[in-house]
Amino acid sequence: MIATLLASYAAVQAAVRLPAVERWLRERIAAELRARVGEVTVAPGVSIDPLFRATFGPVTVPGASAREPLVRIDRVAVRPSLLGLLRGRVEPASIRLSGIRVSPGPRGRALRAFLDRRPRPGAVADPRSSTPPRPRPAPQSPLPVVHLRGLVVVLPLGRGQAELGPLDADLTAAREAAGASFALSLRAPGGGSGQLTAQTIGDDRWRARLRLERLSPILLPPQLRDGPATLSDGVVALELDAESDGDLSHVDARVRASGERLFVSGERVADEPLGPFKLGAEGSVTWDAAERRVAFRDGVLSLGAALRVALAAEARLGSGVPFTASFRADGADWTALVAALPPALAPPPEAPRPRGTFDAHLDVSGPLLAPAAWTLGAGLDLTRMREASRAGEPVALRRPFPYQPVNGDGERGRAFEIGPRTPTFVPIAELPEHVVRAVTTSEDGGFFGHPGFDFTELADAFARGAEEGRVVRGGSTITQQLAKNLYLSREKTLARKIREAAITIALEATVPKARLLEIYLNLVEWGPGVFGIGAAAQHWFGKDARELTAKEAAFLASIIPNPIRYHGMRARGSPSDAWEQRVEHILLKMTEQGALSDEDLLRALSEPIVFREG
């Protein structure tokens, strides 16, 4: 008996190695793949090992161009079911795909073209086609386990592309009387893992669940890791539960994402990696194919336990992809928020430490693909923080304090007091109104009305930057300039801007507007080593600041953005004609705002500007 079995085994092994049998196997495999997948190419050659495992490849599915196929699989190994063989049927027990490369193409064009041309389940074959119809598997037929090894997904990135992976995965599927189900186990570089399960519900619905854990930034393509700002360390988790119609015409999902020990790196971020952060996000997502609309509802973004931001957003597929998004933070605690930030983002110890909570909101709408056309609306309410500040101990800035300015090299210069012991100090109450209004008109027209940030100016600066494809200067208020001058360096990084924003809120919550402006006027730079309005009036015009005319005040306001660069005109004795126009523009704006009468304007326009000699 054993001898007979061994002889039969040897005869079968010899038969499957015959060229004609191998050719028949390859044609059968190619026909089966074409019936299930559509257009596909299988390289010549099929080998059968002693356990009747068939190995073949490469296998390619064409893409949008001849250069890059949609799918390429270097090697396919199929292990048959031994029980099936004993029953006289060839049934795969497992399929192993190695060296898989998937290239959906720009905007997924190659993938969409494949889905449009692939055979539909149950379709009747064209009698003129050599491709057989897709066979309907028997309900009791077991489905093979599929092992994916070395899966790489090519993502379009600008004018180039980036590779995601390699990943390993195992796919199991089952058919039952109640429907079908499958499970995909995923293993990613860096120890990350994932599980995707899906099953049918009734005749025309399905339910899916996705769990991703401990995903590392090393999974990101190098092109994304080496950008101006990138996630450089930490772990990310994602959970998604979804239900859908069979044709994906309507999908409802609940998504939860979290990140721990996150660090962000990049030249524009900070000198050192910025972190750690603990972030979270969750919400409900709905897709409606009939309306071509995706909506995000009941969303919450969180920074540890300190900040929770409500989020709602909606977008429609169409020209420009119109969208709306709304962010709301109610009752945010400044102290808890600052404590949740990494040390590199915390305000310095000498900055004010306000108490209380604030409210903030941001609304954005417009065509997603045209940021220059977005409409932005934002607000910040510091009422409760100001009330808490009035009830507490006054901060140091409300009294005379020492100030050490920063020179052009970023080093601190000679210290002086912002107070009456400095001879050039001028209390704001003693300055003519046109001096104060000239500075606010030029630097921060909404100073007395905004909470430290001029959101209208910020929106305009964003729109100009989006249109020109670069970061545009603008929107920095007097309070923001104070935060930078008093406590920060001049580096142009995201870390500094975040610290500046936190300090700006603290200043607005603890120091009255008039005192903020008084400090600003007495420390801002008006030339090399010339700090404060008192010193500026003497340096440029040889007079007391209390005696400055409206035109002289407008001139001083015009040079605040870059007093060192503009200082060269002092040697000429008077400003150029072009600079006279800048000064006149400020005077006209002051008149429009009611700071000057028409008679005052005419008098100022006729007045010559003469600089102090020497």
Side-chain angles (χ1 to χ4, degrees):
M1 181 66 177
I2 295 177
T4 304
L5 290 175
L6 291 176
S8 300
Y9 173 80
V12 172
Q13 283 289 320
V16 298
R17 285 175 170 76
L18 294 174
V21 175
E22 290 186 355
R23 188 165 51 252
W24 176 83
L25 281 173
R26 176 183 174 275
E27 293 175 354
R28 180 65 183 273
I29 289 170
E32 182 72 13
L33 289 175
R34 283 194 295 270
R36 295 177 178 270
V37 176
E39 187 178 356
V40 66
T41 300
V42 181
V46 179
S47 62
I48 307 295
D49 69 5
L51 295 180
F52 297 102
R53 290 177 296 200
T55 302
F56 57 93
V59 176
T60 58
V61 177
S65 67
R67 293 181 303 171
E68 183 85 42
L70 172 63
V71 179
R72 175 185 169 88
I73 306 172
D74 291 339
R75 184 169 174 269
V76 180
V78 181
R79 179 175 63 84
S81 168
L82 296 179
L83 183 60
L85 290 176
L86 294 175
R87 294 174 176 174
R89 295 198 300 266
V90 179
E91 298 173 345
S94 69
I95 301 174
R96 185 184 182 95
L97 311 179
S98 304
I100 312 157
R101 184 179 177 88
V102 181
S103 302
R107 298 187 180 182
R109 286 197 296 265
L111 179 60
R112 291 201 303 269
F114 164 75
L115 295 175
D116 289 340
R117 69 174 182 262
R118 70 184 294 268
R120 296 292 188 264
V124 179
D126 187 336
R128 296 169 294 180
S129 173
S130 60
T131 302
R134 180 175 178 176
R136 290 182 177 273
Q140 70 277 13
S141 176
L143 297 174
V145 178
V146 179
H147 306 283
L148 309 177
R149 298 294 181 265
L151 170 64
V152 174
V153 180
V154 181
L155 306 172
L157 188 66
R159 296 183 178 180
Q161 59 185 24
E163 296 183 357
L164 180 63
L167 309 172
D168 293 341
D170 298 303
L171 174 66
T172 59
R175 287 188 297 265
E176 302 172 353
S181 64
F182 74 86
L184 177 69
S185 297
L186 180 71
R187 294 175 298 282
S193 63
Q195 184 78 19
L196 172 63
T197 59
Q199 64 183 88
T200 57
I201 308 171
D203 296 332
D204 193 34
R205 289 191 65 79
W206 58 266
R207 178 186 295 129
R209 171 171 290 185
L210 174 66
R211 297 289 185 273
L212 300 176
E213 297 179 350
R214 301 188 62 77
L215 296 184
S216 169
I218 66 172
L219 182 63
L220 294 173
Q223 295 91 327
L224 297 180
R225 294 202 303 268
D226 300 334
T230 184
L231 187 65
S232 58
D233 200 1
V235 291
V236 177
L238 174 68
E239 298 181 9
L240 184 143
D241 294 279
E243 287 193 15
S244 171
D245 295 333
D247 58 357
L248 300 181
S249 61
H250 188 89
V251 180
D252 292 306
R254 183 72 183 176
V255 61
R256 290 169 292 276
S258 62
E260 296 186 356
R261 303 187 303 280
L262 301 177
F263 282 82
V264 181
S265 301
E267 180 180 350
R268 298 179 185 177
V269 176
D271 295 335
E272 300 291 336
L274 198 59
F277 293 96
K278 182 178 181 180
L279 305 176
E282 62 178 286
S284 299
V285 182
T286 301
W287 159 251
D288 191 316
E291 298 183 1
R292 305 184 71 191
R293 175 177 58 88
V294 59
F296 188 84
R297 296 285 185 268
D298 304 322
V300 176
L301 308 178
S302 61
L303 172 62
L307 180 66
R308 290 175 63 85
V309 179
L311 167 62
E314 182 176 302
R316 294 179 183 270
L317 301 185
S319 178
V321 189
F323 83 103
T324 61
S326 174
F327 303 84
R328 294 285 186 278
D330 295 327
D333 188 291
W334 187 91
T335 302
L337 176 58
V338 169
L341 293 174
L345 294 181
E350 60 270 24
R353 286 290 191 271
R355 297 181 180 179
T357 61
F358 64 89
D359 301 331
H361 74 270
L362 171 65
D363 298 303
V364 188
S365 62
L368 185 63
L369 303 182
W374 290 3
T375 299
L376 282 76
L380 177 64
D381 187 351
L382 304 179
T383 302
R384 293 188 296 276
M385 292 182 67
R386 287 170 174 156
E387 292 173 350
S389 174
R390 286 194 293 268
E393 184 72 19
V395 298
L397 292 181
R398 300 181 73 164
R399 302 183 295 271
F401 65 93
Y403 172 64
Q404 195 172 11
V406 178
N407 60 29
D409 297 328
E411 298 178 353
R412 293 285 178 181
R414 180 178 58 86
F416 60 92
E417 182 186 84
I418 304 296
R421 286 195 293 182
T422 298
T424 54
F425 174 82
V426 184
I428 191 171
E430 298 179 11
L431 285 171
E433 182 183 358
H434 58 249
V435 174
V436 176
R437 295 293 292 272
V439 172
T440 57
T441 298
S442 176
E443 288 297 295
D444 187 359
F447 173 74
F448 286 102
H450 64 61
F453 306 92
D454 192 327
F455 296 110
T456 301
E457 286 293 326
L458 288 173
D460 291 343
F462 173 82
R464 294 196 305 273
E467 186 173 0
E468 300 175 17
R470 62 187 180 91
V471 177
V472 174
R473 181 187 180 276
S476 183
T477 66
I478 284 176
T479 315
Q480 288 175 276
Q481 294 179 51
L482 266 183
K484 178 179 66 176
N485 291 336
L486 287 172
Y487 304 110
L488 302 174
S489 67
R490 296 187 178 184
E491 64 179 10
K492 297 180 180 180
T493 62
L494 177 62
R496 198 216 77 190
K497 295 299 291 184
I498 294 175
R499 297 182 79 198
E500 179 185 296
I503 297 171
T504 297
I505 293 176
L507 291 174
E508 287 281 342
T510 58
V511 183
K513 284 282 191 179
R515 175 58 177 167
L516 289 175
L517 190 54
E518 182 177 74
I519 295 172
Y520 179 81
L521 289 169
N522 283 280
L523 64 73
V524 71
E525 188 174 18
W526 263 291
V530 181
F531 296 94
I533 186 67
Q538 291 290 342
H539 178 79
W540 286 92
F541 301 110
K543 62 171 59 175
D544 190 284
R546 300 166 182 84
E547 300 173 356
L548 288 170
T549 66
K551 194 166 188 179
E552 290 168 341
F555 170 80
L556 290 178
S558 72
I559 66 173
I560 290 177
N562 200 331
I564 305 300
R565 177 182 176 186
Y566 304 148
H567 191 261
M569 75 176 79
R570 187 175 183 274
R572 296 177 66 251
S574 62
S576 64
D577 291 342
W579 207 269
E580 282 273 6
Q581 293 180 4
R582 291 193 183 191
V583 174
E584 291 175 2
H585 177 69
I586 294 175
L587 291 171
L588 288 170
K589 289 182 65 176
M590 292 171 63
T591 305
E592 292 173 358
Q593 297 172 4
L596 293 178
S597 67
D598 291 340
E599 293 179 357
D600 293 334
L601 174 63
L602 292 175
R603 188 182 306 112
L605 292 176
S606 62
E607 172 192 331
I609 296 180
V610 181
F611 299 143
R612 175 186 180 183
E613 294 182 1

